[in-house]
């Protein structure tokens, strides 16, 4: 879908006559103007739930979506999560066509993917590319609890693609297109999508609770450096190094200690900080997990 937003912003207009007679303080007159924005979204259920990026609808006072059959509907913001840049919208409709979730963990480097969105207000534009990398951390999301583990592709994205679908060749949703890396603001060969492994958990929480239920192990972590690997006499540099353990946290009660190296969360191998954050981010407070 095409997501269209409206918001009212204030600004000061200068009145030179008032300023001449009464001074600068009286020369500035408050005004308001309407700002319009646009992006993309993905219908995930027949009853009108729609995923988009948080930055597409952030501070919007009105949100509308335009369907592929040209129907325009008012959308309600069900919830949003700035830490993953995801938001959930709802329109009052039934029997909508919707995309089904795929498995972003199963994506392989070099696999073909398609990006569907509305760049430059061009409805339902499709671009193709291959998966270049997984687990990219760009540090573009603000916040202490941000989770960034982007799928990198070379499918062309431009302004308006944000919130659109990244699908595999079976048409299953594997990511939400979110960002580009560019020296000039236009597409430069690298685009990034939030993997559906993160999307599904966040959207389920927003749908059920209106906010994300985020789990924390209770540690500060870092990559394993070559110096640290030598110091700890590690055979290789795999895993994530625990720097400190929070007092009273789950990690402390489980017996984890500083300089321990986390190799697995559940059955999933973790080799980077980003991968660890992504896997832990799939759980809710109170869940029990095995950490190797």
């Amino acid at each position: 879908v095409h997501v269209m937003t409206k918001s009212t912003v204030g600004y000061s207009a200068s009145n030179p006559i008032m300023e001449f007679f009464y001074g600068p303080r009286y020369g500035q007159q408050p005004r308001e103007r309407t700002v319009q924005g646009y992006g993309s979204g993905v219908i995930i259920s027949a009853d009108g739930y729609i995923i988009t990026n948080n930055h597409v609808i952030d501070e919007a006072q009105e949100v509308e979506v335009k369907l592929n059959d040209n129907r325009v509907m008012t959308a309600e913001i069900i919830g949003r999560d700035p830490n993953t840049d995801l938001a959930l919208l709802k329109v009052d409709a039934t029997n909508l066509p919707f995309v089904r979730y795929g498995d972003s963990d199963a994506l392989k480097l070099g696999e073909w993917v398609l990006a569907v969105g509305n760049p430059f207000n061009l409805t339902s534009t499709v671009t193709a590319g291959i998966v270049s990398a997984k687990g990219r951390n760009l540090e573009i999301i603000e916040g202490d609890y941000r989770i960034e583990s982007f799928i990198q592709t070379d499918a062309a994205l431009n302004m308006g693609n944000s919130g659109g679908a990244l699908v595999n060749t079976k048409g299953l949703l594997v990511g939400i297109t979110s960002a580009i890396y560019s020296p000039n603001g236009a597409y430069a060969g690298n685009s990034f999508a939030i993997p559906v492994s993160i999307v599904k958990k966040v959207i389920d929480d927003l749908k059920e609770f209106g906010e994300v239920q985020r789990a924390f192990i209770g540690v500060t972590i870092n990559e394993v450096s070559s110096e640290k690997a030598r110091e700890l006499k590690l055979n290789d540099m795999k895993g994530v190094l625990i720097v400190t353990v929070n007092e009273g946290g789950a990690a402390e009660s489980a017996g984890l200690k500083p300089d321990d190296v986390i190799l697995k969360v559940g059955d999933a191998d973790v080799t980077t900080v980003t991968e660890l954050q992504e896997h832990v981010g799939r759980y809710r407070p109170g869940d029990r997990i095995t950490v190797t």
Side-chain angles (χ1 to χ4, degrees):
V1 300
H2 195 171
V3 179
M4 299 164 287
T5 65
K6 290 181 182 178
S7 57
T8 302
V9 298
Y11 70 101
S12 295
S14 180
N15 186 324
I17 296 176
M18 293 288 287
E19 188 170 334
F20 179 79
F21 284 108
Y22 301 105
R25 179 182 172 187
Y26 295 94
Q28 301 296 318
Q29 297 181 338
R31 300 280 178 87
E32 289 185 344
R33 63 188 175 93
T34 299
V35 176
Q36 294 183 316
Y38 59 92
S40 303
V42 183
I43 303 173
I44 56 162
S45 66
D47 58 349
Y49 282 99
I50 296 169
I51 303 172
T52 188
N53 280 137
N54 178 61
H55 75 258
V56 170
I57 55 91
D58 191 25
E59 297 184 1
Q61 288 152 342
E62 294 179 37
V63 181
E64 290 183 328
V65 297
K66 185 177 182 180
L67 308 187
N68 208 41
D69 59 10
N70 290 324
R71 281 186 291 170
V72 176
M73 299 181 177
T74 299
E76 176 191 358
I77 300 174
I78 300 299
R80 55 193 196 90
D81 180 35
N83 289 312
T84 54
D85 193 24
L86 290 167
L88 180 64
L89 308 177
K90 175 77 167 64
V91 294
D92 187 12
T94 56
N95 298 320
L96 294 177
F98 62 94
V99 69
R100 298 185 186 278
Y101 288 127
D103 183 0
S104 54
D105 290 342
L107 280 177
K108 292 181 170 55
L109 304 191
E111 184 174 339
W112 281 98
V113 287
L114 304 172
V116 187
N118 304 279
F120 309 120
N121 284 326
L122 299 172
T123 303
S124 298
T125 299
V126 183
T127 55
I130 59 170
V131 176
S132 309
K134 295 163 66 176
R136 287 286 197 218
N137 184 355
L138 304 179
E139 296 188 359
I140 58 173
I141 299 176
E142 296 180 356
D144 294 336
Y145 305 117
R146 66 178 182 266
I147 296 179
E148 290 189 8
S149 186
F150 292 111
I151 301 166
Q152 180 182 337
T153 80
D154 65 345
L157 299 186
N158 284 289
M159 188 178 295
N161 267 113
S162 289
L166 187 75
V167 300
N168 60 19
T169 51
K170 295 179 180 177
L172 299 176
L173 186 72
V174 292
I176 297 294
T177 54
S178 300
I180 61 172
Y181 196 83
S182 168
N184 58 12
Y187 173 71
N190 299 296
S191 56
F192 300 89
I194 304 165
V196 78
S197 57
I198 293 175
V199 172
K200 188 175 186 303
K201 158 69 168 59
V202 170
I203 295 306
D204 285 350
D205 279 1
L206 293 179
K207 198 172 178 181
E208 187 173 347
F209 304 106
E211 61 182 9
V212 175
Q213 308 290 302
R214 180 148 293 132
F216 296 98
I217 291 181
V219 293
T220 57
I221 51 179
N222 213 334
E223 308 288 353
V224 178
S225 65
S226 54
E227 294 83 2
K228 203 67 180 178
R230 284 195 299 270
E231 179 188 329
L232 299 176
K233 297 182 173 58
L234 302 178
N235 294 327
D236 50 44
M237 292 172 58
K238 290 181 179 178
V240 177
L241 179 73
I242 295 178
V243 180
T244 61
V245 177
N246 299 343
E247 189 175 340
E252 184 185 57
S253 64
L256 292 176
K257 294 181 173 60
D259 283 348
D260 282 349
V261 177
I262 297 176
L263 300 174
K264 283 187 174 185
V265 172
D267 295 327
D269 293 329
V270 291
T271 57
T272 65
V273 167
T274 302
E275 286 181 346
L276 178 61
Q277 289 173 327
E278 177 188 343
H279 285 293
V280 173
R282 300 179 189 184
Y283 295 95
R284 291 176 175 169
D287 287 348
R288 186 175 292 273
I289 61 171
T290 302
V291 174
T292 305

